[in-house]
Structure formats: structure tokens, C-alpha cells
Amino acid sequence: MKLRYPVVAVAAGLLVAPYFTGKIVEQEFNSIYEQMSASMPYQIKVDNYQRGWFSSTADVSVTIEQDIPDMVQPLTMTFVAKHDIQHGPILTQSSIALGLADIVNSFDFEHNMPENADIIHDFSKDKIHYSTQISFTGGMNSVMESEQINVTTPDATIAILPLQLQADLSRDGALVFDGNWLGMTVTAADVEVLRLGKMDLVGDQQVVRGDIFANTAVMVGDTKVNLAKMNFIDEVTGQSVNISDIEIISNSQDKEGMMYADAKMTAKSIDAMGVKFSDFNYTASINKVDLDVYAELQKLLVSGSSTEDPALFAMEVQALIPKFFESSPEIKINNLGVKTEQGDIASKMDITIDESKVDASNPMSLIMALDAKADGSAPIEFFEQLGMGENIEALIMQNMLVQDQEKVKFDFSFNNGQALINGMPMPLG
């Protein structure tokens, strides 16, 4: 009998707690979408928020307008997310956990496209499944799954294949995600003309500038994308492009307010219009980028996309560019090359900016501040196989290329406004 009162107290607490967590969830919910709306180039509205004791409902609409030729009014597309919100502390709606809220969404799509546009889609609220759990600390765990969506136009049929994505976002801006997309196909006149294969992606990012819910937020960290294949198919023999086993890896860090970033892209094989390559490799880095200036530039570029005064936007960008170079950023292409049946093609390039030579009032000073070096080599037989033998001979005669046994090479440099190609001055302009 002594256990009766503690049990009753716990039961009463579980009954009362959802009411108070519901009030916190409503504040958090509105705050998130206010922050998103303030930075997005389109309209986001929270409609019909209905808070109950154990659960709430709300509609969030995202409206995008775009001018379309032959349409009197702009094309208006509105995506409406209907939120079914379970209050904590015990969450059971999408999975069993403890937290503030468990939100399950369904989606509707509205548009003012004329009926004679002949665009048919099978999108419905049952095609996308999206849920988010909010922890007591404000962190968000989201899971998204989509089924195949088909869009048919007078010219083609587009099949957007299923997607799965899971993401964890902490209140301090740490984002960890992983997922896969089965790709898409485009078919015209019953013939497949484009196919993207399965894509896997994984990332671990941290917001270092801006608000975590803004599209202008600057993030650093690791990201990896694998794409099984990319096929552009042409009915004319030898005009197709097929790329397989593509991998893109990026890493960026914040070092005392400066961003240091590396990127690598590889592809196992490329068959482009009858020319075959293998082991495509591109590695690049950009170092000493002032994150404050980068964030300012990103905000300007986003806001400028909807500006009604392009001249003013251009002046603002021009005024900001010299600040971008005050940290003497470095840009390097460490390797750009492929393997061919005739031999390897390889090149690299380094670009640095001497900030002491940059004059903010004179954009042309950037030319004098630029220091660039590049070199590369390729087998002559490769160009001969493409029927470009005469072109290569002409470039050798003009000192644009140098022959070294079975290869051609080049060496380029630019310093103090003077360009050299293979050690000889190169006229500009």
C-alpha cells in the first residue's frame, strides 16, 4: 500500500508534463521557422497551429514564385507540410524515446500552372515520409524517406527514384547525416536519355558562422558522396557520355577564423563520345579564407538573387572582393589528370594573392597581386588519335607547348602582371 502514492505521483506527472512541454514546443516550433523565413528567398508561413494537451497540429507553407514565359502571372508553387506533433516527455509516434516532441509530417503541393501545360505528376502526401524528434536540449533527429515520383511533360518522362536520409542536428550547429538516393531517369520518346545511378552520402559538419537554420550559414567539416554512374545517352553512335564510380570527398576546417578546405573527385572510368579515360583524379585546396568575409559574401549573394537593382548588387560585391583577398588566400589544384590508352595526362596549378599589393579602391590591383604557377603533360599520340595532330604541331611552333620525346608539356607562370609560357613572355589581351 505504501507504493500507491509514489505511483500516483508519477502517473500525475506523466499526465501533466505533456501540457507544459507542449507550450515549450510551440515556442520552439515558431522560433525555428521564423529564423528560416528571415534568411530564405521565398515565403515561409506557419498556419493553423492548434495546441492540445498531449499533441498539436500545424501547417507550414513554403511558397515559391517564378516568372515563366507565356504565363501572364508568375508561376506560384506552394508546398504545405502538415505537422502532427506529439508532446513529450515520452515519445512514441515515430520511435520510442524521451524528448520534447515527436513530429510526423505529410505534404501537399499546390500550383497555378495552366491546365494546357500538359505536365502530369503522381506526387501525393503518401510519397514522402518525414519525421523529427526534438530532444530536451533542442537537438533534432530527422528521418526522411520518399517513394518514386514520376513527372511527365510533352517532351520527356522523369522518374525520381526513392530516397532515404537520416540527420542529427544539435543546438550548437553540429550536423551529422547519412543516406542514399537511388537516382533518376529521363526518358524521351520511349528511349532513356539520362540515368543517374545510386548515390550514397555521409557528412559531419559544424556551423561556424550564421544561424543553424539559415541558408546562409557557413559550415565546415567532412562530406563524402558516391555516385554509381552517370549516363547521358544519345541515339547517335559515339555521342553518349558514360561515367562510373564517382566519388567526391571534401574536408574543411576553421583555424583561428580562417577556412582551410580540401576537395577530391575521382571516377573509375569515363567514356565521352567514343574517347575512353580511366582513373580520373582531381584534388584541390583553398586555404586562408577569412570566414567572416566569406559569410558576408554568402549573405550578399543570397540576398542579391532577388534584388531589383542589379547595378547596386554589383557595386556591393565589388566593394567586398578586396576584403576577401586581405588574408592572402591560396588556391591549389594539386592534381588534375586521367589515364588513357596512350598514357597519362596530368596537370597542377597554384594561385596565391599578395594582400600587400591589393588596393581596395582599385580592383585592377588584383592583377598585380596575383601569383600563379601551372604545368602539365600529355602523350602526343592521344591527340593524334583524336585527329588533333596538326593542332598540336601548331601549338609547339607557337611555343604554347614543348615536345619532350613522346609527350607535350607546358609551364605557365604569372607574377607582377607578367605571364610566361614555357619561359617566354606571353602577351595578354
Side-chain angles (χ1 to χ4, degrees):
M1 297 296 294
K2 293 182 179 181
L3 293 175
R4 177 186 302 173
Y5 296 109
V7 170
V8 170
V10 171
L14 292 176
L15 289 173
V16 173
Y19 174 81
F20 293 101
T21 56
K23 297 180 71 174
I24 298 172
V25 169
E26 183 177 4
Q27 295 172 356
E28 186 79 2
F29 188 91
N30 287 317
S31 175
I32 289 171
Y33 282 108
E34 284 175 6
Q35 294 175 66
M36 293 176 64
S37 181
S39 66
M40 298 294 181
Y42 36 79
Q43 182 181 8
I44 301 177
K45 290 178 56 181
V46 176
D47 301 311
N48 305 320
Y49 197 105
Q50 301 292 327
R51 177 164 57 88
W53 190 290
F54 297 100
S55 63
S56 301
T57 60
D59 296 340
V60 177
S61 61
V62 180
T63 302
I64 302 172
E65 287 191 354
Q66 184 175 0
D67 291 327
I68 301 293
D70 301 327
M71 283 187 63
V72 177
Q73 298 293 331
L75 172 63
T76 301
M77 297 177 289
T78 301
F79 298 87
V80 180
K82 297 182 178 297
H83 295 65
D84 187 0
I85 307 166
Q86 179 194 13
H87 304 163
I90 299 177
L91 308 178
T92 60
Q93 190 165 235
S94 59
S95 64
I96 298 176
L98 296 176
L100 281 179
D102 193 343
I103 306 172
V104 174
N105 299 319
S106 60
F107 299 87
D108 279 334
F109 173 53
E110 302 170 358
H111 60 80
N112 65 340
M113 195 172 296
E115 294 182 1
N116 60 2
D118 294 331
I119 296 178
I120 303 171
H121 64 81
D122 63 356
F123 175 80
S124 67
K125 63 181 181 180
D126 300 323
K127 291 284 187 174
I128 299 179
H129 312 277
Y130 183 79
S131 63
T132 299
Q133 289 187 334
I134 303 178
S135 70
F136 291 117
T137 59
M140 302 171 67
N141 173 264
S142 301
V143 178
M144 177 178 178
E145 296 181 349
S146 69
E147 301 177 16
Q148 180 171 325
I149 298 172
N150 301 298
V151 180
T152 302
T153 73
D155 300 316
T157 298
I158 304 168
I160 303 171
L161 303 181
L163 174 146
Q164 293 182 329
L165 182 64
Q166 187 273 333
D168 289 302
L169 176 64
S170 69
R171 198 61 180 175
D172 64 355
L175 174 64
V176 179
F177 61 89
D178 68 86
N180 64 79
W181 177 40
L182 296 186
M184 66 179 292
T185 64
V186 178
T187 303
D190 296 327
V191 176
E192 188 173 278
V193 296
L194 170 66
R195 173 174 286 275
L196 296 182
K198 181 184 178 184
M199 176 187 293
D200 295 302
L201 65 159
V202 61
D204 188 345
Q205 298 276 310
Q206 174 67 52
V207 174
V208 293
R209 294 294 186 278
D211 185 84
I212 59 176
F213 299 111
N215 66 340
T216 55
V218 177
M219 309 183 79
V220 298
D222 302 324
T223 303
K224 183 169 75 169
V225 178
N226 292 96
L227 179 61
K229 59 184 175 182
M230 182 184 298
N231 305 132
F232 300 92
I233 305 163
D234 195 298
E235 61 182 8
V236 178
T237 303
Q239 296 298 308
S240 298
V241 177
N242 301 304
I243 308 174
S244 67
D245 296 327
I246 304 165
E247 183 175 73
I248 302 173
I249 301 174
S250 65
N251 169 267
S252 57
Q253 303 175 59
D254 176 2
K255 296 182 180 180
E256 299 180 349
M258 298 292 168
M259 181 171 65
Y260 289 72
D262 299 299
K264 180 179 181 180
M265 178 178 178
T266 60
K268 185 176 181 180
S269 65
I270 302 174
D271 186 343
M273 300 182 182
V275 181
K276 295 183 178 181
F277 306 91
S278 65
D279 299 311
F280 171 83
N281 189 298
Y282 171 78
T283 58
S285 59
I286 179 168
N287 301 323
K288 299 169 63 179
V289 175
D290 188 308
L291 281 165
D292 291 328
V293 177
Y294 180 77
E296 189 177 350
L297 180 61
Q298 182 157 297
K299 286 182 180 179
L300 182 59
L301 293 175
V302 171
S303 63
S305 63
S306 58
T307 184
E308 297 181 358
D309 191 346
L312 177 61
F313 170 67
M315 290 176 60
E316 291 175 337
V317 172
Q318 182 175 315
L320 191 58
I321 286 178
K323 293 183 181 180
F324 188 83
F325 294 111
E326 287 180 357
S327 60
S328 298
E330 303 171 347
I331 302 173
K332 297 183 178 182
I333 298 177
N334 303 304
N335 183 41
L336 174 58
V338 294
K339 294 182 181 296
T340 73
E341 295 176 353
Q342 295 78 28
D344 295 352
I345 299 175
S347 62
K348 63 180 185 292
M349 178 177 69
D350 292 348
I351 299 176
T352 57
I353 301 291
D354 185 349
E355 62 88 15
S356 66
K357 297 180 181 180
V358 177
D359 181 357
S361 63
N362 180 18
M364 294 301 294
S365 65
L366 290 173
I367 295 177
M368 299 303 295
L370 179 67
D371 189 342
K373 297 179 181 178
D375 62 72
S377 65
I380 296 177
E381 186 182 352
F382 171 77
F383 297 103
E384 291 177 341
Q385 291 289 330
L386 296 178
M388 298 175 60
E390 293 184 1
N391 303 74
I392 296 301
E393 291 179 5
L395 291 172
I396 293 173
M397 293 291 292
Q398 299 168 25
N399 195 48
M400 303 298 289
L401 293 174
V402 174
Q403 183 171 354
D404 181 9
Q405 297 182 358
E406 302 300 321
K407 292 185 176 183
V408 286
K409 299 181 177 181
F410 77 91
D411 186 292
F412 172 83
S413 66
F414 186 90
N415 183 260
N416 288 322
Q418 177 62 63
L420 300 177
I421 183 73
N422 301 317
M424 300 294 290
M426 178 181 177
L428 300 177

